[in-house]
Amino acid sequence: MESILFNIFAVLAVLSALLVVVNPLSRSPVTSAMFLVTTMISISGLFVLLNAYFLAAVQILVYAGAVMVLFLFVIMLLDVQETARRKLRIVSLVMGFVAVGALFGVYKSSVEATYEDVEAVDEVVVGSTEALARGLFSKDNGFILPFEIVSILLLVAMIGAILLSKKELR
Amino acid sequence: MGDQLKFVQLEMMVVALGLLVLIADLAMAPSRRRLLGYLSAAGLFVVFLLSFRDGYTALVNESTEAFFNSRYKVDGLALFFKRFFLIAGIFVLVFAVDFSERLRSGMAEYYSFIVFALSGMMFAASANDFSMLFVSIELITITFYILVSFQRHRLHSLEAGVKYLILGAVSSAFMIYGIALVFGVAGSLQFDDLHAQQSELIQSKVFLFGMLFLFAGLAFKISAFPFQVWAPDVYQGAPTPTTAFLAVGSKAAGFVLLIRLLVAAVPEVTAEWTSVLLVISALTILYGNLCALPQRNLKRLLAYSGIANAGYLLMGIVAQSEEGTVAILYYLAGYLFTVMAAFMIINLLTKEGEGEDISCLSGLSKRSPFLAFAMTLAAVSLAGIPPLAGFFGKFLLVKSVATEAFGNTCFFVLLAVAVFGVVVSIYYYFGIVRTIFWGRRKADEPTPPPVTIGLPVRIVLGCCVAAMLYLGLLPNKPVKWAETAAKVGVTSK
């Protein structure tokens, strides 16, 4: 059952991710955004299969919900037209495929060299909200310091975004 | 928790200063913003002095277990780099006040962003864990995206910002992917754990693959060879104080993390990769020096020289010895003062909108003998000619590689490349010196007036000149400091 579900979600995630970037039927950015939503939802399905329920919920709430609404807002505010079909240069296309293929080859062979025989894992870890919170905030073992630094980072990003987009130069 | 906060006291002060600047801006009249810049520089100086307090330096000897579960390290290396970044931050702030008329908007934000970037660097100096590494690197880089594109009315600045944003995001993606792979194999994010299991981990190809991606991300920050394309455009387009901070701070942050990772945490991986690192180091030196030859724009020229210097600094990592680390620290210290002086002088001379062409230096010896003297010293020091800071740093780096060279002929190739690079660099640095003393203006051009320099800038330039001479002439004491800082070990649990 689980492996069937995994296959469905995985194929859906990869296919719709592909359709975000290369869609033969439509060049509209809104369609791409919608396929991105499908990708997010399938990934949250994968999180559920990994017993990470909190992450799955956050994935849908934040990414498929808030972030995507923002994306659509920006697309509609900027009134992005369907972009003209760009001419692909054959050289860059070949180079791109060679680079990606080589990288994938190295990755595949390194994975094969490392995991010759993978044992099945019996242990089931349930990623409950409490476990996540303990991991993040506990004072002895948690990620409290990096977490706090992220807050400075977000502050900087926020002020920066306002500064760079402010209409009036004063 | 409370007892752990003392380990991040300096960083907390710096962050608080950044917030204070933002708030104080609301209450201050726009005409007094310059004062705000000087005040924040003074604040950083106080933090710098506090870093010498016994209560703080005593933390170095305390048990490392307590440091946020050894995610965070306050050791000699961290202390050295924290002070290094603080000095750089003070200089850049003074520099930024001098530059502020050209920013048009958001001066106070500019100062506070410099302070926030500085706090990121100080966190990076202590990072002993992948989560800390990533978060602090991102804090630095995201602040720099904004600092680079701060002159919104200049197309060059925006272009540089966009280029840096896109390439920086790609490099961060590489880094986080690498971290994920390493975590997948090692099952831990902490450098101490990696150190403990390194001989098993090195058997795993996935681990090495992840480390390679991580290295790519860090190599972007230090602008080493295959990841250097962004540097000239970004250095040229960014506001000059940002360029100076990028050249000194961002690069040094990359190096402290490389030392923590490659020298302290997983030396066996570094040993395995000697040839890779060696080739990257050699190519970086060659690329930087050869591409600098035809440059006429001073900031671009310094960008290429910065790439070459990243190559020299990588030699210290290739050496894989404490001596190599000492050399890196010493060289970085010299580089800080030299590059800061050079960018500051470029900024002073291009104030009147002359452009950053090398010809703006011509006749400088008559316009301002002090600036001519300082710029000559900076150029000579960068070229690595005795008796200045740059010479002694390069000497230490070459020596650290040379002592390891017996038994590995490839090292001699690296040494040859380094010496060749120095010879090439003398050509273009002396182009600068020649223009200062013998450069001629066109006959119909009026002789420009003597340059006026404000007192704070004069003090900073004086400090830079003094430090260049001190590091070059009396290297005994600084080398001792670097040696105490370079004793990076990994606490085994």
Side-chain angles (χ1 to χ4, degrees):
Chain A
M1 179 61 189
E2 270 189 22
S3 70
I4 299 172
L5 276 178
F6 172 81
N7 283 328
I8 292 173
F9 282 132
V11 169
L12 213 60
V14 173
L15 257 187
S16 43
L18 213 63
L19 284 172
V20 173
V21 201
V22 275
N23 192 335
L25 299 174
S26 155
R27 307 277 305 167
S28 154
V30 179
T31 324
S32 292
M34 285 307 163
F35 276 112
L36 197 54
V37 175
T38 328
T39 316
M40 304 285 188
I41 292 175
S42 349
I43 289 174
S44 87
L46 291 177
F47 279 136
V48 171
L49 291 179
L50 287 169
N51 293 321
Y53 304 116
F54 181 74
L55 268 187
V58 166
Q59 175 85 12
I60 290 190
L61 278 177
V62 175
Y63 283 93
V67 171
M68 285 318 300
V69 168
L70 206 69
F71 271 26
L72 286 175
F73 251 119
V74 171
I75 291 170
M76 288 176 179
L77 273 181
L78 293 180
D79 194 23
V80 185
Q81 299 299 318
E82 292 199 10
T83 41
R85 212 165 272 272
R86 262 195 310 168
K87 262 196 180 161
L88 286 171
R89 278 175 48 211
I90 196 86
V91 182
S92 48
L93 204 67
V94 170
M95 291 294 273
F97 270 109
V98 167
V100 171
L103 208 58
F104 184 73
V106 174
Y107 180 55
K108 187 167 170 287
S109 65
S110 66
V111 169
E112 277 170 356
T114 309
Y115 304 108
E116 277 160 357
D117 43 337
V118 183
E119 300 150 30
V121 184
D122 295 330
E123 192 187 1
V124 175
V125 185
V126 178
S128 67
T129 316
E130 193 195 330
L132 193 79
R134 284 202 187 286
L136 262 184
F137 303 118
S138 100
K139 64 176 178 181
D140 322 303
N141 200 12
F143 288 89
I144 182 76
L145 186 61
F147 182 84
E148 295 296 340
I149 298 174
V150 169
S151 67
I152 309 170
L153 196 157
L154 289 178
L155 176 77
V156 166
M158 197 170 67
I159 301 171
I162 294 169
L163 262 179
L164 292 182
S165 59
K166 203 169 56 174
K167 205 167 189 181
E168 196 131 307
L169 287 169
R170 162 170 70 89
Chain B
M1 187 72 213
D3 54 328
Q4 295 194 16
L5 284 181
K6 67 180 181 217
F7 298 111
V8 286
Q9 49 179 305
L10 291 188
E11 287 78 2
M12 279 164 60
M13 282 185 248
V14 171
V15 171
L17 184 71
L19 294 173
L20 217 65
V21 171
L22 278 179
I23 296 166
D25 175 46
L26 299 175
M28 265 194 174
S31 54
R32 313 197 48 184
R33 293 238 173 82
R34 294 174 71 92
L35 186 68
L36 198 60
Y38 290 132
L39 280 180
S40 41
L44 286 186
F45 189 66
V46 171
V47 177
F48 176 69
L49 291 181
L50 283 177
S51 77
F52 289 94
R53 215 160 43 93
D54 286 342
Y56 188 71
T57 45
L59 294 180
V60 176
N61 305 321
E62 255 182 68
S63 127
T64 47
E65 284 289 305
F67 295 21
F68 293 95
N69 194 29
S70 49
R71 282 184 216 292
Y72 194 79
K73 223 170 178 179
V74 183
D75 54 2
L77 187 75
L79 225 57
F80 179 92
F81 271 100
K82 278 180 213 285
R83 287 171 188 156
F84 175 94
F85 292 134
L86 278 168
I87 295 177
I90 295 166
F91 285 5
V92 170
L93 271 174
V94 173
F95 192 177
V97 176
D98 197 52
F99 190 82
S100 58
E101 292 121 50
R102 274 187 276 172
L103 284 176
R104 294 202 191 173
S105 66
M107 289 170 207
E109 284 84 353
Y110 194 73
Y111 306 145
S112 73
F113 275 31
I114 290 171
V115 175
F116 283 131
L118 171 69
S119 76
M121 290 168 194
M122 289 171 70
F123 280 122
S126 288
N128 198 35
D129 173 72
F130 282 125
S131 60
M132 280 297 299
L133 175 143
F134 184 70
V135 165
S136 48
I137 277 276
E138 282 307 286
L139 179 54
I140 298 168
T141 332
I142 286 180
T143 320
F144 267 117
Y145 296 151
I146 300 152
L147 283 174
V148 166
S149 39
F150 220 89
Q151 287 178 298
R152 270 201 294 157
H153 53 279
R154 271 181 63 222
L155 209 58
H156 274 305
S157 178
L158 282 179
E159 182 196 329
V162 170
K163 275 181 185 162
Y164 192 45
L165 172 68
I166 293 174
L167 290 174
V170 171
S171 88
S172 292
F174 269 97
M175 198 155 69
I176 197 93
Y177 189 35
I179 292 174
L181 289 174
V182 169
F183 178 66
V185 179
S188 168
L189 287 173
Q190 298 191 12
F191 292 176
D192 295 357
D193 293 339
L194 289 190
H195 184 75
Q197 344 169 9
Q198 57 173 332
S199 33
E200 298 149 41
L201 286 175
I202 202 167
Q203 309 292 332
S204 154
K205 291 279 191 299
V206 175
F207 175 75
L208 289 178
F209 193 67
M211 286 299 290
L212 193 67
F213 271 31
L214 250 170
F215 178 74
L218 288 176
F220 173 85
K221 298 287 176 281
I222 62 168
S223 63
F225 170 63
F227 314 101
Q228 88 297 358
V229 268
W230 60 277
D233 287 349
V234 173
Y235 277 38
Q236 188 186 357
T240 318
T242 308
T243 313
F245 208 24
L246 199 63
V248 173
S250 189
K251 186 169 287 176
F255 268 101
V256 66
L257 291 169
L258 276 180
I259 292 172
R260 283 247 185 260
L261 196 61
L262 290 181
V263 180
V266 283
E268 288 186 26
V269 175
T270 322
E272 175 123 340
W273 282 355
T274 308
S275 47
V276 180
L277 292 170
L278 195 140
V279 168
I280 289 178
S281 166
L283 285 177
T284 312
I285 293 173
L286 279 181
Y287 181 92
N289 280 322
L290 293 178
C291 287
L293 284 178
Q295 299 305 327
R296 297 285 303 166
N297 182 299
L298 278 172
K299 274 160 93 178
R300 232 181 148 73
L301 184 114
L302 281 175
Y304 280 112
S305 112
I307 295 174
N309 279 307
Y312 292 124
L313 284 161
L314 271 177
M315 286 168 66
I317 304 243
V318 173
Q320 296 161 44
S321 56
E322 208 176 288
E323 218 177 320
T325 314
V326 172
I328 290 178
L329 300 187
Y330 198 91
Y331 195 81
L332 273 175
Y335 188 68
L336 161 72
F337 297 110
T338 316
V339 167
M340 211 52 96
F343 275 117
M344 221 173 260
I345 292 164
I346 292 171
N347 184 45
L348 283 172
L349 294 179
T350 54
K351 209 173 232 173
E352 302 90 26
E354 282 178 82
E356 288 135 359
D357 194 81
I358 200 165
S359 63
C360 74
L361 287 174
S362 61
L364 183 63
S365 56
K366 294 200 186 65
R367 287 173 69 194
S368 166
F370 173 62
L371 285 188
F373 171 66
M375 189 71 188
T376 310
L377 274 192
V380 170
S381 170
L382 278 172
I385 290 176
L388 289 163
F391 162 74
F392 204 75
K394 281 204 177 74
F395 171 74
L396 284 176
L397 283 168
V398 166
K399 187 168 150 255
S400 72
V401 172
T403 40
E404 304 289 317
F406 300 101
N408 193 344
T409 41
C410 294
F411 278 35
F412 287 112
V413 179
L414 179 59
L415 289 178
V417 169
V419 172
F420 173 72
V422 169
V423 173
V424 171
S425 72
I426 287 176
Y427 175 78
Y428 60 82
Y429 289 128
F430 270 72
I432 296 178
V433 176
R434 200 189 56 204
T435 326
I436 293 174
F437 288 98
W438 297 284
R440 287 186 193 288
R441 297 197 161 247
K442 286 182 203 108
D444 52 336
E445 248 180 293
T447 15
V451 195
T452 46
I453 323 167
L455 181 67
V457 175
R458 202 180 277 269
I459 293 172
V460 166
L461 273 178
C463 287
C464 288
V465 168
M468 272 189 265
L469 288 170
Y470 177 66
L471 286 174
L473 289 172
L474 305 162
N476 280 338
K477 247 195 181 161
V479 167
K480 283 245 166 57
W481 297 333
E483 270 167 2
T484 41
K487 285 194 177 59
V488 274
V490 169
T491 42
S492 47
K493 285 198 200 168

